[in-house]
Amino acid sequence: MWAPDIYEGSPTPVTAFLSIAPKISISANMSRVSIVASYGGTLQQIFFFCSIASMILGALAAMAQT
């Protein structure tokens, strides 16, 4: 299912919660991880390599699109 299809039939408070709650959760978790990552270099290296891999994978997937 596509998210706009689900949002169309639901009440406005439910739509607002489902669209905002994941963003708040992700930003809170990323801030917690960045605080923990400032104490050690290993986690920063993992984030670095994951971000590079994500950019490469996104570029390769974009080239495959028509």
Side-chain angles (χ1 to χ4, degrees):
M1 291 202 146
W2 198 41
D5 292 338
I6 295 170
Y7 290 156
E8 186 176 338
S10 62
T12 303
V14 173
T15 303
F17 176 76
L18 290 177
S19 64
I20 294 172
K23 294 174 183 75
I24 293 172
S25 173
I26 288 171
S27 60
N29 285 323
M30 288 302 293
S31 66
R32 286 181 62 195
V33 168
S34 66
I35 290 170
V36 172
S38 64
Y39 296 117
T42 306
L43 197 54
Q44 289 176 346
Q45 290 176 350
I46 291 172
F47 278 136
F48 175 76
F49 289 118
C50 285
S51 64
I52 296 295
S54 173
M55 287 186 273
I56 291 172
L57 181 66
L60 292 175
M63 289 192 302
Q65 290 181 346
T66 56

